[in-house]
Amino acid sequence: MNALSRREEETILKATKARALKECDQVVKEFAVCASGRTISVAWACRDKLKVVQDCMIQL
């Protein structure tokens, strides 16, 4: 079994993250709009939108 080098791991992680952000762009934007101008209240005011973002990221 071949292990990936650290550089290969980083490359794969970056590509996966970029793909997830692209695929989940709309839900990330919705969360950002909700969070805009908030500080502590973002924790409960945008909880549902954060859950949608997390679910989207996990699927990819």
Side-chain angles (χ1 to χ4, degrees), residues 4-19:
L4 296 175
S5 70
R6 183 69 184 143
R7 177 174 280 207
E8 290 170 325
E9 285 180 22
E10 289 175 2
T11 301
I12 291 170
L13 283 172
K14 285 180 185 178
T16 302
K17 183 177 179 180
R19 178 176 171 237

Side-chain angles (χ1 to χ4, degrees), residues 30-44:
E30 290 173 15
F31 174 75
V33 168
C34 180
S36 180
R38 298 182 191 271
T39 54
I40 297 170
S41 67
V42 74
W44 61 86

Side-chain angles (χ1 to χ4, degrees), residues 2 6 12 18 20 22 26-28 32 36-38 41-42 46 58:
N2 294 331
R6 183 69 184 143
I12 291 170
K22 181 179 178 185
Q26 186 58 42
V27 293
V28 170
S36 180
R38 298 182 191 271
S41 67
V42 74
C46 305
I58 288 171

